[in-house]
Amino acid sequence: MKNKEKEIKSLGTKFEVLEEGPKPVAAAQAAAPRPGGAPQPLRKAVATGSIGLMIALAGMAMPYGAAEYAFLPALAAAVILWQLLSSGMARTQATTLPLKPFGAILALATGGVALGLGAGGVTGAVLCILGGVLSLAAPGMGKKADSKLPPAPADLPVDQQFSKSLLAYLLIIFGLSLAWTNDPSATGLNTILGGLTFMFCLLGLWASWVGMWKMWAMPAFTTGSLGLVLFLAPLEAVFTGILGLSRVFMGSSMEQLGVLGAWPGDDAPGIMYAFGPLMVLAGGAFATFELVQGAKQGMKSNQVKKDAEIASRKAARAGRRGEEPEKTGAKDAKSSEKTDDKKDA
């Protein structure tokens, strides 16, 4: 009754109804997926296999009795670390990928050679064998428990190019840390070029880790000031490896280059000490190959984008040209109508 007594004001003929919808920020936050994706249950085979590889790594870090075969624990440690990192074991999101057996096989070979020669370092050799056996037996040990879990995703979102570059830089770093002559203190890091190569490869190692998982710091490493480092590191490794191999086979005559410095030891260190520079050379060549392949793929993707942009611009111009005759025809029709009206008047 009270409403009838009040005057109803007219809104007029022009008015707008505003409906308050969800705020863009709140809607975006609600629609955004959870960081890291859906959590995956822990696979017993993966967990047990990784524990076995870590036990083997502990054995490789201990003194190795067969000094002339020291490249074996270095090579095995580089491969095992790459295997653990590339499978996602160092990430917060649980991995479901089964571990490949080649790391465990290298661990068994490392421990078996040391025990077979009987040159000491028994504790480390036993740990290498124990870890390798545990890693190989992990799929069978966890088969029953893992069969109750839901199916695992096919793969992790890892960049394969950066993953391979990570393995290459690990080979270079472990190769530089080996003895390059019969003097245990004469490693590939004793020289200026070797030290610079080690520094650049550490930066390349970190850049590969950032790039393989598409982390937030990826633009700083790939397109920023460190882009040149990623190009120079493998080339320096190739150069250092070639000079190291030449030093092994040619003796002290290679010291006249004045780049690597004077290594202690005999003039002919022996073929067994060529594996350190050989790992550096192989890692540098592998990283260079991946760098060239990545550059080619980048050029192809950029060309595809340019072609798509050119095609879209051509289509837009063609569309505008098709509309112009229609507009001019409409104008002519209107002008003819006006002239007819004038004639009738």
Side-chain angles (χ1 to χ4, degrees), residues 113-318:
V113 169
L115 289 180
L117 295 176
V122 178
T123 304
V126 170
L127 290 179
C128 288
I129 295 176
L130 178 62
V133 171
L134 181 60
S135 182
L136 288 177
M141 296 171 61
K143 185 176 181 180
K144 183 178 180 180
D146 294 342
S147 61
K148 302 177 183 179
L149 299 177
D155 200 355
L156 284 176
V158 58
D159 190 289
Q160 294 298 327
Q161 179 192 349
F162 281 106
S163 176
K164 295 175 183 177
S165 298
L166 182 74
L167 174 60
Y169 288 123
L170 283 172
L171 291 175
I172 296 171
I173 290 172
F174 277 92
L176 287 171
S177 63
L178 290 174
W180 287 24
T181 70
N182 54 358
D183 189 338
S185 63
T187 66
L189 299 174
N190 284 22
T191 61
I192 297 175
L193 183 59
L196 291 176
T197 304
F198 183 78
M199 178 193 68
F200 284 128
C201 288
L202 274 181
L203 293 174
L205 180 72
W206 178 245
S208 300
W209 166 253
V210 170
M212 67 186 291
W213 298 114
K214 300 292 190 298
M215 295 184 177
W216 60 269
M218 184 177 176
F221 286 98
T222 55
T223 60
S225 58
L226 289 178
L228 183 61
V229 173
L230 296 178
F231 179 75
L232 292 177
L235 297 181
E236 286 189 356
V238 170
F239 185 58
T240 305
I242 291 175
L243 292 181
L245 287 175
S246 301
R247 170 67 175 82
V248 169
F249 292 105
M250 298 179 63
S252 59
S253 60
M254 290 302 297
E255 296 173 3
Q256 298 175 359
L257 292 174
V259 179
L260 295 179
W263 279 319
D266 297 337
D267 291 343
I271 189 63
M272 299 304 296
Y273 295 97
F275 285 96
L278 186 61
M279 285 178 61
V280 174
L281 177 60
F286 190 27
T288 304
F289 175 77
E290 291 298 325
L291 185 66
V292 173
Q293 291 295 110
K296 289 182 179 180
Q297 292 178 1
M299 292 175 63
K300 288 182 180 179
S301 61
N302 290 334
Q303 187 63 37
V304 170
K305 291 180 181 178
K306 289 181 180 179
D307 294 341
E309 292 176 357
I310 292 173
S312 63
R313 288 197 295 267
K314 287 183 178 179
R317 286 196 297 267

Side-chain angles (χ1 to χ4, degrees), residues 24-57:
V25 177
Q29 290 177 353
R34 296 179 60 185
Q40 296 293 331
L42 180 63
R43 261 69 179 175
K44 186 176 180 181
V46 178
T48 307
S50 63
I51 292 173
L53 293 180
M54 292 301 295
I55 293 174
L57 278 177

